Amino acid sequence: MRRLRGLQHDQPEGPGGSPLKDKKAWVTAVVFPAIMVIVATAVPGGWGWFSGLFAEPPSLKAYSSGPDGCVPRYSVQSLSELKAKPDALRAEGVPVADPQWGEVVSAPLTLQAKTDQSIVVTGVRVDVITSKPVPSTGQVIDASDCGSGIDVRPFDVDLASQPVAVKPAVTKGADGSQKRGPGFPFKVSSDDPEQLVLMFPSVQGDVRFSITVDWVSEGKPGNVKLDNGGAGYRVMGLGGLPRHPYSTLFKRPTP
């Protein structure tokens, strides 16, 4: 049977399929990138526009030194061991929250965008990794030489709630009035960072936790998790542990 003229043409096919598919592949692989390069070099700021097509949205940097504050600290060591090396208490001791004396553990959290473009921080989550009873051995040593500071954006954390509640802290004015601090969302950029302070006014047991910051950049959600290298951040309640003044570490034994 003869083929009708004008309806079919003899064209060589490549190993991958039809001539039409080969042309599309050639345009995608060669022509489109060439056009992009011409636009990027000819238009002012073209390279920034071109790279922006494939760049991820700006992300967030977060850092926390972990629980701290002018609070007692727990050490598994004996008093004699602590007296031999009192500086170890600051480096290795676990912050202890004691609501009876208003001793609140705090964890500073610094947030900053990686570029000058603003990122919207939408929330902070605290997740309990482990929760155990307060140890039955060891010592709690009172704080010493505490300075004063102002928490710009404090949040109260209730580790006993499920899920863990993170709420703007309520501060008291000189006249006795109460004011709830600013919450979420808020913006940060590379030249306008923000420092939050997570406050732990009451802790039951021996708790390790992680911190996750949720954010939005260019309409895309993201998050960054802080967990102290996988070990979690640790904070404790007083329980029934013996408690000593800091000066005890420097008292010489009576002859």
Side-chain angles (χ1 to χ4, degrees):
M1 180 181 295
R2 294 191 307 167
R3 290 181 295 177
L4 297 178
R5 292 184 179 181
L7 296 182
Q8 294 184 354
H9 300 277
D10 294 329
Q11 294 186 15
E13 294 187 4
S18 68
L20 180 59
K21 290 183 179 179
D22 290 343
K23 286 182 179 180
K24 288 182 178 179
W26 183 80
V27 169
T28 302
V30 179
V31 177
F32 180 73
I35 294 175
M36 291 296 99
V37 172
I38 294 173
V39 172
T41 54
V43 179
W47 277 118
W49 170 83
F50 178 67
S51 60
L53 291 176
F54 305 97
E56 291 293 326
S59 57
L60 188 73
K61 295 187 293 184
Y63 170 76
S64 178
S65 56
D68 202 346
C70 188
V71 293
R73 289 181 178 268
Y74 164 79
S75 175
V76 70
Q77 299 182 30
S78 66
L79 275 179
S80 59
E81 291 173 322
L82 289 173
K83 288 179 179 180
K85 194 178 180 182
D87 292 341
L89 180 68
R90 178 67 184 176
E92 303 170 5
V94 181
V96 175
D98 186 359
Q100 181 178 356
W101 297 99
E103 292 164 323
V104 179
V105 176
S106 60
L109 178 61
T110 303
L111 308 177
Q112 186 177 25
K114 293 184 178 181
T115 68
D116 57 1
Q117 184 172 337
S118 295
I119 292 178
V120 179
V121 179
T122 58
V124 170
R125 289 176 282 137
V126 173
D127 296 300
V128 173
I129 299 174
T130 61
S131 180
K132 301 182 294 184
V134 173
S136 58
T137 60
Q139 317 293 326
V140 173
I141 307 298
D142 287 344
S144 176
D145 299 329
C146 294
S148 59
I150 299 176
D151 298 330
V152 178
R153 197 182 285 266
F155 288 81
D156 283 338
V157 180
D158 183 2
L159 291 172
S161 63
Q162 295 293 335
V164 176
V166 180
K167 300 179 179 179
V170 176
T171 57
K172 293 183 179 180
D175 58 353
S177 61
Q178 294 185 343
K179 180 181 179 181
R180 187 171 295 278
F184 302 102
F186 57 84
K187 294 181 179 181
V188 297
S189 62
S190 58
D191 57 355
D192 186 21
E194 184 76 42
Q195 185 170 32
L196 314 185
V197 180
L198 302 181
M199 315 289 288
F200 300 84
S202 178
V203 180
Q204 302 295 324
D206 182 354
V207 182
R208 294 181 184 270
F209 63 91
S210 64
I211 303 169
T212 302
V213 183
D214 295 316
W215 49 269
V216 174
S217 176
E218 295 183 355
K220 296 182 179 180
N223 62 71
V224 56
K225 183 177 181 179
L226 303 175
D227 60 3
N228 194 25
Y233 299 106
R234 187 180 179 189
V235 65
M236 283 176 47
L238 181 60
L241 290 168
R243 181 170 176 172
H244 308 278
Y246 185 73
S247 58
T248 304
L249 302 184
F250 302 93
K251 288 182 179 180
R252 297 180 179 180
T254 56

